[in-house]
Amino acid sequence: MADVVLFHHLHGLTEGLREFAEQLRAGGHTVHTPDLFDGERPATLDEGFALTKRIGREVLRERADRAVAELPDGLVHAGFSWGAATAQRLAQTRPGARGALLYESCLPVTGEWAVGPWPAGVPVQIHGMDADPFFALEGDIEAARELVGIVGPDLGELFVYPGDQHLFADSTLPSYDAEATALVLRRSREFLDRLG
């Protein structure tokens, strides 16, 4: 079974994300859920963004690096929105990544915003809504298509769901979409099962 580290979004490590992690664990996978905000739960995305500014980019990066340093090699790096950027950075820069699950965000792998090249042989699965103002309208979906094109159909999958919600898989937020989340979970577990 797969060993997963799941990074939270700008609302912090909510109960909804803990529930999502439990659903992955129900498939027999180990899921680690580090809290990079040390228990703070911003009520809005703007407040979450302000918190990241207050904590500082380098401190947050160090917290994420510390969280995975204590975990075994061969991790699947996963994350939601803001946390997906952390997951993607680690999948691309920490040796031994077994895979990546990116929810509602994707960084480019070429150009000025790129972290670096995608590691050879590392599978990736990406999920987002087709009218999400962040994922679909700010360039992430194009980055996701590019990444899937680079890794090829055997290793890369992009799933796009109808809707305009961001953070639709967190049951504690008003943006929650139960039907889309059920599909995300099923596809995520299938991805992890293939790695097992």
Side-chain angles (χ1 to χ4, degrees), residues 1 8 12 30 73 81 86 119 125 142:
M1 293 290 107
H8 60 75
T30 301
D73 290 336
S81 187
T86 298
Q125 190 179 82
E142 286 82 9

Side-chain angles (χ1 to χ4, degrees), residues 161-184:
Y161 306 84
D164 61 0
Q165 297 300 309
H166 192 61
L167 305 178
F168 66 89
D170 186 328
S171 62
T172 57
L173 298 177
S175 52
Y176 179 60
D177 183 318
E179 187 177 340
T181 299
L183 267 176
V184 171

